[in-house]
Amino acid sequence: MRKLVSLVFIVLLSCLILVGCGGGNTKATTEKSAAEKTDKLVIYCPHPLTFINPLVSEFEKQSGIKVEVVAAGSGELLKRVESEKANPLGDIFWGGSLGTMKPKANLFETYTSANEDKVQQAFKNTEGTLTRFTDIPSVIMVNTNLIGDIKVEGYEDLLNPKLKGKIAFCDPAKSSSSYEHLINMLYAMGKGDPEKGWDYVKALCANLNGKLLSGSSAVYKGVADGEYAVGCTFEEGGAQYVADGAPVKLVYMKEGVISKPDGVYIIKNAKNMENAKKFIDFITSKDAQTIIVQQLHRRSVRTDVEPPKGLIEKTKINIINDDEKVVVANQRQWLDKFKDIFTSVN
C-alpha cells in the first residue's frame, strides 16, 4: 500500500512539474509573440516629404501600422544606423543609391520581397539585403529664367565661366544622389575610365566657387527657387517641378547618364521586424509602384507598371554603365579625393 501511495505521489509530482514547465514555456512564447506583433514602424528616409507622405499614408491605411519618419540626408542617417547597431531605433532605411549602400550591406537584414518575381531582371535583389524600388537617372536641372543664352547639354557645359558660383552641387559624402553624380562624371568624362575623370572634377569644383550644399533637396529647391542657374540632381527631384509648371527643365548629359536604382532596406535586428517586412512588400507592390509613377514622377522597377508620362524614354538617353566592383571598392577613396580637390581649389 505504501508503495502504491508513493508511486501515485511521484506521478502527481511529475505532472505538476511538467505543467509548470509547460506553463512557463507558454508564457515565454506568448511574450515573444507579443514582442513581435507591434503596431508601429520607424523609417529613416532622405527623401523629400512630398515623396514620403503619399506612400506612408497609403501604407498606414492598408496595414493599420503607425509610421514614424526620421528625415535627414542619407550620409547622416547611415551614421545614425551605425551608431545604433547595438540598439536599433529605426526599422527601415528607405532611400540611398546602391553605390552608397552596398558597402554598408552588413547593417541590413536579409529579406526577399513578396513581389520579387515582378521586378525587372536588372533590379533583382541578388544580395538579399538590398531591395530596389525605383530607377533613377542622374540629371542636370536648369532654371530656364536664369540660364539665358548659356547652352547646357551636359557636364562640359558646366565649366562655362558664366556659370561660376551658379551651380548647385551637394557634398557627395552627405548625399547619395550627389555621390552618384560624382561616379557619373568620372565615368562619362573619363570615357569609361574613372581615373581619367578627375581633371574634370577639379575644373568643376573650381567653377562651384566654394559653394557646396549639405543636402540633395537644397539642389533642386535652389534651382527651382532661382538661387542657382543649374544643379546636379536626380530625375525625380526635378521632374516634380517640371510637372508643376516651374521654370525649369531636365537635361540628360550628352556625355552619358548612369541610371541606378534606389533601395529600401530593413535595419539589422529591427525591433518592428514583421512590420518592416510588410513595408518592403508594400513599397514594391503594384499599388505603391503605380503611385510612384503616376503621382511622384519616378520610374518603377516592376515589369507590369508603365513608365511615367512626361519623362523621356530611357531608350532616348545615352545610358552608360559603371563598374560596380570598382565603385564599391573605391567609395571612401573617391569621397576623400573629392574633398581634397574641393578644398584645394576654393
Side-chain angles (χ1 to χ4, degrees):
M1 184 68 179
R2 284 181 181 176
K3 289 182 179 179
L4 181 59
V5 171
S6 298
L7 184 60
V8 171
F9 178 78
I10 290 169
V11 171
L12 287 172
L13 183 60
S14 299
C15 289
L16 286 171
I17 291 170
L18 287 171
V19 170
C21 291
N25 287 340
T26 302
K27 184 179 180 183
T29 303
T30 302
E31 287 176 352
K32 185 180 178 183
S33 298
E36 289 176 348
K37 293 180 180 179
T38 67
D39 62 353
K40 71 174 186 175
L41 183 70
V42 180
I43 296 178
Y44 290 172
C45 188
H47 296 311
L49 291 176
T50 51
F51 184 88
I52 295 169
N53 289 341
L55 291 165
V56 165
S57 295
E58 184 63 24
F59 175 69
E60 289 180 326
K61 177 182 171 185
Q62 290 188 18
S63 67
I65 295 167
K66 182 64 179 175
V67 176
E68 176 189 343
V69 175
V70 178
S74 54
E76 179 184 339
L77 290 171
L78 263 178
K79 288 180 181 177
R80 184 166 180 165
V81 172
E82 288 183 293
S83 67
E84 294 171 355
K85 277 194 295 186
N87 181 33
L89 301 180
D91 303 305
I92 286 281
F93 195 110
W94 179 20
S97 66
L98 292 193
T100 298
M101 306 302 282
K102 269 199 172 184
K104 305 293 184 180
N106 65 309
L107 296 173
F108 306 108
E109 291 280 351
T110 296
Y111 180 68
T112 301
S113 156
N115 301 296
E116 189 71 9
D117 63 326
K118 293 294 185 181
V119 173
Q120 297 174 44
Q121 192 62 40
F123 301 133
K124 295 286 188 184
N125 176 11
T126 56
E127 306 82 2
T129 54
L130 308 174
T131 299
R132 285 77 162 161
F133 85 100
T134 51
D135 177 22
I136 309 177
S138 293
V139 300
I140 296 173
M141 184 175 173
V142 178
N143 185 302
T144 53
N145 285 345
L146 297 180
I147 201 64
D149 60 356
I150 300 173
K151 179 186 70 174
V152 178
E153 295 178 348
Y155 283 132
E156 189 68 34
D157 298 320
L158 298 184
L159 302 184
N160 190 325
K162 293 180 180 179
L163 290 176
K164 189 167 187 174
K166 299 177 181 179
I167 304 166
F169 192 75
C170 181
D171 184 347
K174 296 181 178 179
S175 162
S176 61
S177 62
S178 185
Y179 178 57
E180 289 302 325
H181 256 291
L182 175 60
I183 296 169
N184 199 143
M185 61 183 66
L186 287 175
Y187 274 88
M189 304 311 288
K191 300 188 185 307
D193 183 350
E195 289 307 312
K196 293 180 180 177
W198 287 105
D199 287 342
Y200 172 79
V201 173
K202 186 174 182 179
L204 176 66
C205 283
N207 224 29
L208 295 178
N209 201 30
K211 297 179 180 180
L212 197 60
L213 305 178
S214 60
S216 56
S217 62
V219 175
Y220 51 79
K221 286 180 180 177
V223 175
D225 293 343
E227 296 177 45
Y228 298 91
V230 296
C232 294
T233 186
F234 57 103
E235 186 179 54
E236 177 257 326
Q240 181 67 55
Y241 288 95
V242 174
D244 291 343
V248 297
K249 67 177 182 178
L250 302 184
V251 172
Y252 298 82
M253 296 78 69
K254 65 180 182 181
E255 299 93 347
V257 173
I258 295 178
S259 185
K260 283 288 188 72
D262 212 17
V264 56
Y265 326 95
I266 299 177
I267 296 171
K268 190 174 283 294
N269 299 319
K271 290 183 173 65
N272 302 295
M273 183 65 70
E274 293 308 308
N275 295 345
K277 291 176 180 178
K278 288 178 182 178
F279 185 78
I280 297 284
D281 291 345
F282 163 78
I283 208 68
T284 54
S285 69
K286 189 170 183 178
D287 284 352
Q289 292 280 306
T290 300
I291 292 172
I292 285 168
V293 168
Q294 294 183 356
Q295 298 181 31
L296 303 174
H297 312 287
R298 277 206 190 185
R299 299 174 192 262
S300 173
V301 296
R302 288 181 63 106
T303 58
D304 56 356
V305 176
E306 293 295 317
K309 292 181 179 179
L311 293 181
I312 187 172
E313 293 180 18
K314 282 186 73 174
T315 55
K316 297 180 180 178
I317 302 172
N318 179 21
I319 296 291
I320 61 172
N321 298 302
D322 57 13
D323 185 324
E324 195 171 88
K325 290 182 180 178
V326 172
V327 171
V328 171
N330 286 280
Q331 182 187 33
R332 187 70 265 161
Q333 179 188 338
W334 288 355
L335 289 174
D336 289 342
K337 190 168 183 176
F338 177 88
K339 183 179 178 181
D340 291 343
I341 290 173
F342 181 81
T343 303
S344 68
V345 301
N346 291 289

